[in-house]
Amino acid sequence: MIAFGPVPSRRLGRSLGINNIPPKICTFACVYCQLGRTLKMQVERCAFYRPEEVVSAVRDKVEKATASGESIDYLTFVPDGEPTLDANLGREIELLKPLGIKIAVITNSSLIWRADVREDLMGADWVSLKIDAAQEDVWRRIDRPHGSLRLGAVLDGMLEFAKDYTGELVTETMLARDVNDGADHVREVAEFLARLAPARAYLSIPTRPPAEPRVGAPKEEAINRAYQILGDRVDHVEYLIGYEGNAFAFTGNVEDDLLSITSVHPMREDAVRAFLARAGAAWPVVRSLIDRDQLVETEYDGHRFYVRKLRASR
Ligand code: SF4
C-alpha cells in the first residue's frame, strides 16, 4: 500500500504515511531494524513507482480522511526501506505540494552525500536524519551500511544539507546496548550534533523485536547518560520511544503526568520534588511507581534522576 493512515505520531501530530519504496529495500541493514532483515541492499537510486501513482494514492487517502472528518498534519515519506533511494522523491514532493499539507521525510541519511538527494530533501518541510554513530567501526556494527558507503561523506553531506535547509531539521539516534551507547562514543555524536544544530535531537531505543535478536536496549543508566551528554551540546533533546498517546498531556493525575513527562525526558530529583509540591502530592507517589517497575531511579554526575521504565520486557 503506497499511502496509509493517518496515524498519530508524537513528532508530527496526525501523519499520513507514504510508502514510496517496495518492502525492505535499503542502503542499511541495521541490527535493530524492526522491519526484519533487509531483503535487498542497494545504493543506486531508481524509480520504483510512477510519481503520478504515488500522488494519486495519497490524494485518495487525503480525500477519504477529509470526508470522514479526520485531520492530517503531515504527509510523511516513511517507507519500509530508505525513501531517498526513490529517484522520483523530489518530483513527488513537488506534485504533493498543491494538497496544501506539510511534507515530512524520515531518512537514514546514507545518500545525503549526493547533491541530488539534498536537492530533493530541500522540498520537504520537515526532515529527520538518522545519526547512530560518529565512528566508522561503530557505524558498521549498528547500521551495517552497504560496503560502498563512507561515514565521513555521510556526515559531511548532513552538514552541507543543514547549512542551506530552511525547513525543520531533526535527528534521530537509536541506542543499542553495548554497540553505540558508550559514553565516549555518545560524546562524539553530541559533538557532531552541536555542529549540525538540529531543531531537536531524538533518542530512541529498540522497543519492538529487532532484526537481530541479540540486540538489546541500553540500561536506563546509559539512556539517561546519553540524554545528559547530548543535552549539554544540543538545545532540545527528547526520547522517542513510542508512548505516543499521552506525552505532554497534563491530566491532573500525578502518576500519569510523571510517567508522561519521564517518557520524553528524565527528571532530576529537584524537578520531581518541585512537581510534586505544585501538584500537592508527596514522595510516596514516586516510590510506588518505582516499586511497580514503571519508574527507574538512576544517577548521573552527582545527581539523582528519574526515568520512565523504557526497556521492553523481553
Ligand atoms: S535504515 Fe531503517 S529500514 Fe533501513 S535497515 Fe535501518 S532501520 Fe531498517
Side-chain angles (χ1 to χ4, degrees):
M1 196 184 292
I2 292 179
F4 60 94
V7 293
S9 151
R10 220 199 66 215
R11 296 189 290 180
L12 297 169
R14 292 187 60 78
S15 154
L16 191 138
I18 306 171
N19 207 346
N20 62 326
I21 303 278
K24 210 55 221 287
I25 300 179
C26 197
T27 50
F28 286 175
C30 302
V31 286
Y32 58 75
C33 185
Q34 293 163 355
L35 306 168
R37 295 209 167 139
T38 296
L39 296 176
K40 187 171 176 215
M41 211 162 184
Q42 71 174 61
V43 284
E44 300 79 31
R45 302 189 81 194
C46 61
F48 296 98
Y49 304 106
R50 284 184 304 108
E52 295 71 21
E53 198 182 337
V54 173
V55 173
S56 130
V58 173
R59 192 183 299 119
D60 212 46
K61 274 276 178 201
V62 170
E63 279 166 10
K64 286 200 179 106
T66 313
S68 55
E70 288 187 87
S71 61
I72 300 170
D73 299 304
Y74 275 92
L75 304 175
T76 310
F77 285 85
V78 54
D80 297 341
E82 170 47 33
T84 62
L85 276 171
D86 178 4
N88 289 324
L89 178 64
R91 176 81 184 126
E92 287 154 10
I93 291 175
E94 203 180 293
L95 290 173
L96 288 169
K97 291 235 153 139
L99 292 178
I101 305 171
K102 285 200 254 182
I103 296 171
V105 182
I106 298 180
T107 169
N108 68 15
S109 324
S110 57
L111 300 178
I112 203 161
W113 52 274
R114 295 178 57 127
D116 59 345
V117 167
R118 292 198 297 274
E119 186 63 38
D120 285 359
L121 291 174
M122 287 289 171
D125 301 280
W126 185 100
V127 171
S128 172
L129 299 178
K130 182 194 289 295
I131 160 89
D132 290 339
Q135 294 172 355
E136 185 93 21
D137 60 324
V138 177
W139 187 52
R140 300 226 164 258
R141 267 187 289 136
I142 187 155
D143 292 345
R144 299 190 297 188
H146 186 279
S148 67
L149 295 170
R150 296 287 171 267
L151 181 62
V154 170
L155 298 179
D156 287 348
M158 288 167 81
L159 293 171
E160 183 76 24
F161 177 70
K163 198 158 53 94
D164 299 328
Y165 184 57
T166 54
E168 189 170 343
L169 180 70
V170 306
T171 59
E172 188 173 338
T173 302
M174 177 72 92
L175 292 176
R177 186 170 61 230
D178 300 333
V179 186
N180 67 340
D181 64 341
D184 290 344
H185 178 256
V186 173
R187 259 183 221 109
E188 281 194 44
V189 172
E191 286 312 315
F192 176 77
L193 288 177
R195 294 172 66 200
L196 192 74
R200 239 163 249 280
Y202 291 97
L203 270 179
S204 53
I205 57 169
T207 51
R208 278 174 275 171
E212 302 299 338
R214 65 185 157 80
V215 173
K219 298 210 167 82
E220 276 78 9
E221 190 193 346
I223 302 170
N224 180 46
R225 182 179 62 206
Y227 181 96
Q228 308 301 335
I229 293 173
L230 259 51
D232 279 344
R233 307 294 283 130
V234 184
D235 285 346
H236 299 285
V237 184
E238 280 185 22
Y239 290 145
L240 186 66
I241 22 192
Y243 299 101
E244 301 285 0
N246 60 359
F248 300 124
F250 289 88
T251 61
N253 176 314
V254 182
E255 284 198 352
D256 286 354
D257 287 349
L258 273 175
L259 290 177
S260 57
I261 297 167
T262 52
S263 72
V264 181
H265 53 75
M267 283 177 91
R268 235 168 71 169
E269 183 179 356
D270 49 356
V272 176
R273 290 194 184 277
F275 173 83
L276 291 174
R278 277 200 309 278
W283 197 256
V285 175
V286 175
R287 187 48 49 205
S288 149
L289 288 171
I290 294 172
D291 290 346
R292 281 184 275 142
D293 213 20
Q294 290 180 284
L295 207 60
V296 177
E297 190 177 81
T298 182
E299 288 207 7
Y300 179 76
D301 212 15
H303 293 286
R304 206 169 290 159
F305 287 88
Y306 294 85
V307 300
R308 172 117 187 204
K309 175 81 177 173
L310 302 169
R311 283 176 294 161
S313 41
R314 280 194 288 118

